[in-house]
Amino acid sequence: MVYGIGTDICDIRRIRASLERHGERFAEKVLCEGELAIWRARSARWSERGLRYLATRFSAKEAFSKAVGLGMRMPMTWRACEVVNLPSGQPAIVLHGALQDWFDAQGLRCHLSVTDESDYAASFCVVEKI
């Protein structure tokens, strides 16, 4: 049974402006440790690739927060929600701490899709009750 659906479109130029204004602190606010390591590695090779990575993660976390109906309020935080890629390349959500506890207590499962194109990153998230 569908618990919630969330979608988000993110203007990559806005993410670029935030990075220029706040530097790495912006990425550290949005990304978990594992995501930060990937972002730094991708940015070191090609800054645009790192920027797109950050934008897709930002968008995915926004879509997830909408699908679970919490928005960005506790227990939902940027760093409690991690976007990973499965060995197949499929994106997935990994939760941490109180958010993981809340999600498990609700008996939920998440399905995620992310994409980016030129100036935009978009995500679609379906959360189902199992």
Side-chain angles (χ1 to χ4, degrees):
M1 175 172 125
V2 173
Y3 180 86
I5 298 171
T7 189
D8 187 74
I9 186 164
C10 174
D11 189 329
I12 295 173
R13 296 164 295 193
R14 196 177 114 219
I15 299 297
R16 179 182 287 114
S18 293
L19 272 174
E20 289 170 356
R21 191 168 40 257
H22 303 289
E24 195 165 303
R25 286 180 312 152
F26 177 73
E28 290 169 348
K29 177 183 174 184
V30 174
L31 302 175
C32 296
E33 289 304 315
E35 292 169 319
L36 269 171
I38 294 168
W39 172 73
R40 287 178 179 133
R42 289 183 180 193
S43 295
R45 281 185 295 227
W46 185 37
S47 62
E48 189 66 21
R49 189 160 185 234
L51 178 65
R52 289 176 185 275
Y53 177 85
L54 178 56
T56 57
R57 273 41 193 178
F58 184 95
S59 177
K61 292 176 186 198
E62 283 280 337
F64 174 80
S65 73
K66 293 170 185 175
V68 295
L70 293 173
M72 282 299 171
R73 62 180 163 75
M74 295 301 283
M76 177 64 198
T77 66
W78 292 109
R79 293 176 55 90
C81 179
E82 182 174 8
V83 181
V84 300
N85 288 93
L86 302 177
S88 65
Q90 177 184 0
I93 297 282
V94 174
L95 303 174
H96 303 285
L99 182 57
Q100 177 68 57
D101 296 340
W102 176 86
F103 195 77
D104 290 345
Q106 304 300 313
L108 302 175
R109 178 172 42 200
C110 175
H111 307 277
L112 179 66
S113 178
V114 300
T115 190
D116 63 90
E117 183 65 42
S118 301
D119 296 327
Y120 298 97
S123 299
F124 187 75
C125 181
V126 175
V127 173
E128 65 178 324
K129 191 136 178 105
I130 51 176

